[in-house]
Amino acid sequence: MLNKRRTYRRQKVCKFCLDKVLQVDFKDVKRLRNYVSDRGKIIPRRISGNCARHQRQLTIAIKRARSIALLSFAAELA
Amino acid sequence: MRSYEVIFILDPALGDDGVDAAIAAASGIVTKEGGEVAEVQKWGKKRLAYEIKKRREGHYAFLRLRAPVKAVTELERHLHIAESVLKFLTVLAPALRRRPVKAKASAPAPKESDTHGMTVGVHGEAVGSRRTGAEVQEA
């Protein structure tokens, strides 16, 4: 109540749950892109709002996508 | 027999014929060892997220298999040797859940979002199967 500026509400739902994704797929690069930073790091649950189960699947999916060069391990040196 | 997904990246210098030949060779090995190729997808020439063997792009080929372990090891041996293969990845396909979960199982099939013409989530029936993925990779 003291700090009125902090009125924004965090997106509370897991996008994967909304879309009823049963298994996060490492081939779905479009979707995975939303969950890595521009440096290529995986975005934490605290920020993305994913549920635990989907975040677990997501990290594995991202790592697989990286190993087959669909996603980068790290941003390239400019 | 288990279901696998195999992706391999082929040299961008290969033409369409070369890609088809490489896919045919790979599926040939699988069928010879008693497996079956359930699905073949060519994703075309795509840009790689990072350089592999000095290439910045490559032809992606995707196979869905139902095959005994022997076939998969043989296929991997082949992919290791084949010069036109830049990199490959084999994962266990998400297994079908034996006991349907009441809510999730009755839910409609997961939506297909189209990424470069690949089907997504169709096969992904399994929940809680995060350990299904024995990953094999090759640099």
Side-chain angles (χ1 to χ4, degrees):
Chain A
M1 288 301 150
L2 278 171
N3 195 344
K4 277 210 164 170
R5 279 186 306 171
R6 297 194 61 179
T7 47
Y8 83 98
R9 212 168 270 169
R10 170 172 97 92
Q11 179 195 9
K12 273 194 193 131
V13 276
C14 169
K15 283 241 179 81
F16 292 101
C17 289
L18 281 184
D19 294 346
K20 296 218 168 74
V21 174
L22 293 186
Q23 179 75 38
V24 180
D25 191 346
F26 70 99
K27 301 184 290 297
D28 193 355
V29 192
K30 250 190 213 162
R31 196 191 280 272
L32 298 184
R33 278 264 156 75
N34 298 331
Y35 298 98
V36 291
S37 70
D38 43 8
R39 299 231 41 176
K41 293 179 168 188
I42 299 173
I43 292 178
R45 212 150 84 70
R46 142 175 72 85
I47 292 167
S48 66
N50 285 341
C51 69
R53 170 186 281 171
H54 281 120
Q55 183 72 15
R56 277 196 304 271
Q57 294 180 1
L58 178 70
T59 54
I60 289 173
I62 289 176
K63 288 169 184 177
R64 283 181 180 178
R66 279 176 181 166
S67 78
I68 198 70
L70 293 172
L71 290 178
S72 60
F73 283 99
E76 285 185 38
L77 300 169
Chain B
M1 298 272 271
R2 303 182 89 166
S3 296
Y4 299 88
E5 293 180 356
V6 180
I7 296 185
F8 48 95
I9 307 174
L10 295 161
D11 195 308
L14 287 178
D16 278 349
D17 297 344
V19 174
D20 288 338
I23 293 173
S27 4
I29 290 167
V30 175
T31 39
K32 204 183 73 195
E33 299 287 340
E36 54 181 274
V37 180
E39 192 183 345
V40 178
Q41 286 174 18
K42 285 187 278 181
W43 297 353
K45 198 187 262 191
K46 283 168 64 103
R47 212 185 132 71
L48 304 177
Y50 48 88
E51 202 172 77
I52 302 175
K53 295 187 184 162
K54 304 287 177 198
R55 315 291 151 77
R56 288 316 313 248
E57 43 184 27
H59 295 283
Y60 276 78
F62 170 81
L63 304 179
R64 203 189 292 288
L65 314 174
R66 211 161 146 66
V69 182
K70 200 177 53 164
V72 178
T73 43
E74 181 57 24
L75 174 63
E76 288 191 331
R77 202 182 67 84
H78 164 79
L79 293 174
H80 270 294
I81 295 168
E83 295 233 336
S84 57
V85 178
L86 302 183
K87 201 166 186 183
F88 66 89
L89 174 77
T90 313
V91 296
L92 274 176
L96 287 164
R97 218 189 172 129
R98 254 180 231 144
R99 231 171 345 110
V101 199
K102 39 188 173 169
K104 291 255 163 87
S106 59
K111 246 193 284 174
E112 281 183 34
S113 63
D114 198 56
T115 321
H116 307 293
M118 358 164 172
T119 48
V120 164
V122 180
H123 204 71
E125 299 288 76
V127 189
S129 64
R130 71 194 164 101
R131 262 172 218 267
T132 49
E135 280 177 69
V136 191
Q137 65 180 71
E138 139 80 343

